Amino acid sequence: MRTIVFAAAAVATLASAGAAFAQMPAPADLIKQWDKDGDGAVSKAEWTAAGRQAERFDLIDANKDGKITAEELEKAMAAMRQRQGG
């Protein structure tokens, strides 16, 4: 019985994680939302103003130009989905 309960809980957890990814806005939409100066990219100041962790900015800014583009955010989100098994 414990095994069935554990398995059901694991399936529910994985299903909710998949649903969360499915409901996430597109990277381009997030960039538009966070891009307050209208340059088409998100600076570290804009990133943190949107409530994001400063440390994560550096992980996503692949070319280290101090801005995150929709393409960089898409690649980071795809990598996260892959790590999560989705």
Side-chain angles (χ1 to χ4, degrees), residues 29-79:
D29 293 336
L30 290 171
I31 295 297
K32 286 178 188 175
Q33 180 181 344
W34 298 336
D35 177 21
K36 298 303 180 192
D37 65 6
D39 68 350
V42 175
S43 68
K44 194 171 215 175
E46 290 168 327
W47 178 264
T48 56
R52 313 302 301 165
Q53 294 178 354
E55 303 80 37
R56 297 201 184 239
F57 181 92
D58 297 328
L59 296 173
I60 297 171
D61 181 16
N63 64 1
K64 307 301 179 206
D65 67 350
K67 296 183 179 200
I68 293 176
T69 63
E71 293 80 20
E72 288 173 317
L73 186 57
E74 173 59 41
K75 286 180 183 177
M77 290 171 76

